[in-house]
Amino acid sequence: MYGNPALAAIAQAALPDLAHAAAAAPANAEGSNLRFHAAFLLRHFGDLDGAMKLYQQALEIDESLGDLQGMAFTLVMMGQALFAGGQPAAGLQAVRRGLEIFRRLNMPREVAQTEAILAQMEAMGGDG
């Protein structure tokens, strides 16, 4: 069996508290990581706006820390969320920015994974 409906219900019920805690976390690497993962969960459970706010905060923290790897992962996730949310050009742009960073960091696995994501987005009618 894939997934646990009871656990999913508990996670969904805890999301408002998690989102609040993430938004209030310090502007450091741990706070960025908490925002990133909370954003993933918010998006998974359908709160695209809440997810985008946390992704944006995580990105700003990563930029201030010079954390290029964190920026790249966040940009790719943001791009996918934007694309799914009806903003294909912005989504493609964010994923491409993340891909460029992965290339600069010489992260071949992440480059390949991001190229696959980008190809799938383009095949789905991305206009960017």
Side-chain angles (χ1 to χ4, degrees), residues 16-55:
D17 291 335
L18 178 61
H20 179 73
N28 58 22
E30 292 80 17
S32 174
N33 194 32
L34 178 58
R35 286 169 176 88
F36 177 88
H37 290 289
F40 173 83
L41 288 172
L42 286 173
R43 178 177 172 226
H44 177 77
F45 285 105
D47 183 359
L48 182 60
D49 291 338
M52 290 307 299
K53 287 177 187 171
L54 291 177
Y55 279 138

Side-chain angles (χ1 to χ4, degrees), residues 78-94:
M78 286 177 76
Q80 291 178 87
L82 287 164
F83 190 91
Q87 299 179 55
L92 287 164
Q93 181 182 19

Side-chain angles (χ1 to χ4, degrees), residues 44-105:
H44 177 77
F45 285 105
D47 183 359
L48 182 60
D49 291 338
M52 290 307 299
K53 287 177 187 171
L54 291 177
Y55 279 138
Q56 185 61 43
Q57 291 174 11
L59 182 61
E60 290 169 3
I61 293 168
D62 290 340
E63 287 173 339
S64 74
L65 297 174
D67 180 357
L68 295 176
Q69 186 173 337
M71 288 172 55
F73 281 111
T74 301
L75 284 163
V76 171
M77 293 300 289
M78 286 177 76
Q80 291 178 87
L82 287 164
F83 190 91
Q87 299 179 55
L92 287 164
Q93 181 182 19
V95 172
R96 287 180 181 131
R97 284 182 59 205
L99 177 59
E100 179 54 37
I101 294 169
F102 284 138
R103 285 182 176 146
R104 279 190 286 153
L105 294 174

